[in-house]
Amino acid sequence: KAVFGTGLYRTVRLHQVKRPDEGVVDLIVEVEETLFFEFEFGAGYGTDTGVRGFVGAKHRNLDGKGRSFSARVSASQKEQNYLADLREPWVFGNRWKWEGGVTAFHQEAERESFSLRKTSVVTSINKTIFRRSSVSLQYELSRDDAFDVAPDAVLSPEDQGSATISAVRGLFVLDFRDDPFNPKRGSFNSGSVEFASSFLGSEVDYYKVTGQSSWYFPVFRRNTFVVSGRAGIVRPLGSTIEVPIQKRFFLGGRTTVRGFKEESLGPRGADGTPTGGDYMVNGNAELRVPLQYGFIVAVFLDAGSVWFPRDPENGFDLRESAGLGVRYVTPIGPISLDYGWKLDRREGESPSEWHFTIGAVF
C-alpha cells in the first residue's frame, strides 16, 4: 500500500517465495511503473466565465526520485491563470511524509468591481492524514495590482494600485465523502487562517479566517440531500485602514446564491457597484434526484450575506433564493443548468437568474 501510494507505479504485487520458516517470509515485490509524463487539455462555457479552456503537462518522477513538476495555463473571457509547480515528496524524510512544494503563479482577472493582476510565489509543506484529507502550511509573497476599480468601490488607498503582500497561511481539508465526483454520503470540511503583516515584509496588514462544511445524506433510495454552510471574516490590522478589495468577500452566482448575479450581494457604492465586505455567511440546501440516462434534477434553497461590522448602512442583510437545476455528466465534463428565483426581490432587481455551465470549472 505504501509503495502504491507514491503514485509512481501502476500495479504492485507481492509473491511469496516459499512457506514461512521460523517466522520469516521471503517475498518478491513486482511493480509496473506508471506513465511519468501526462498531458491534459479541456474546454467549457459558463454564464459567469464565458468560453474557457485549459492546457497542462506534468512529469511525475524528476531525477527518478519521485519529484514532480507541472505547468498549466487556463483562460476564459474574464480570467487568465499561469501556474508552475514543483513538488518534493518527502521534504523531512520518508518517515514523516511531509510533501514540500514551490508554486509560481500569475493571474489576470476581470471582476465585477475591479480588475486584478497578481504574481506570486508560494512555498508550502503538506501532509496527507487520511485518504483524501490533509493539512498544509504555506507562505505566499505576491505583488497585487488592482486597477480599473469602480470609483464608488474604493474605500481606502489600499483598494487601488500595487501592493506587496507577504502572508502565512494554515489550511486543512477533511474529506469523508464516498465519491469526490458524485457523493451520496459523507462530509467535506475545510478551513484556513491567513495572516499578513509588515513584520513579514507586507505593505498590507490583515487576518482572514474561512471555513466550510458540507454534508451528504442518502434519502428515498437513490436520492441525496445536501446541506452546506460556509463563513468567513477578514479584518485589517495595524495602520491598514481597510482590507484591500481583492481580499474582501463577495457573494452571489452559480456556486453561492443562485438567484443573484455573480458577486452582486452585499454592500454597494453610491452607483450600485458591489464593494465586498469583511464578513460573509452562506448556506445551501439541495435535494438531488437521479433520473434515467445520467440526468440529475435538483431542488435547492440558498441564502447568504456579506457585510461590514458596525456599519448600519451595510450591516447584516440575509438574501434568499430557491430554484431548480438539471445536470448531466458527459465525457467533456458536466453540463449544468440552474434557475434561481429571488425570494425577497426588491425594487429594481430582476426576479431570477440563469446559470449555465459546460465542463468542469477550474
Side-chain angles (χ1 to χ4, degrees), residues 53 134 196 201 238 271 280 289 301 305 323:
S134 62
D271 63 352
M280 176 273 294
V289 181
L301 176 66
S305 178

Side-chain angles (χ1 to χ4, degrees), residues 297-361:
V297 173
V299 181
F300 60 81
L301 176 66
D302 304 326
S305 178
V306 175
W307 72 100
F308 287 105
R310 298 181 296 277
D311 186 344
E313 294 186 3
N314 297 298
F316 180 80
D317 182 21
L318 190 68
R319 305 298 307 274
E320 303 91 12
S321 68
L324 298 172
V326 178
R327 292 82 189 264
Y328 180 68
V329 179
T330 75
I332 63 171
I335 297 177
S336 302
L337 177 64
D338 290 315
Y339 187 65
W341 291 272
K342 296 179 178 66
L343 298 181
D344 53 353
R345 181 187 177 192
R346 298 173 183 175
E347 185 178 355
E349 293 181 338
S350 63
S352 57
E353 294 293 338
W354 288 95
H355 302 283
F356 179 67
T357 303
I358 302 176
V361 178

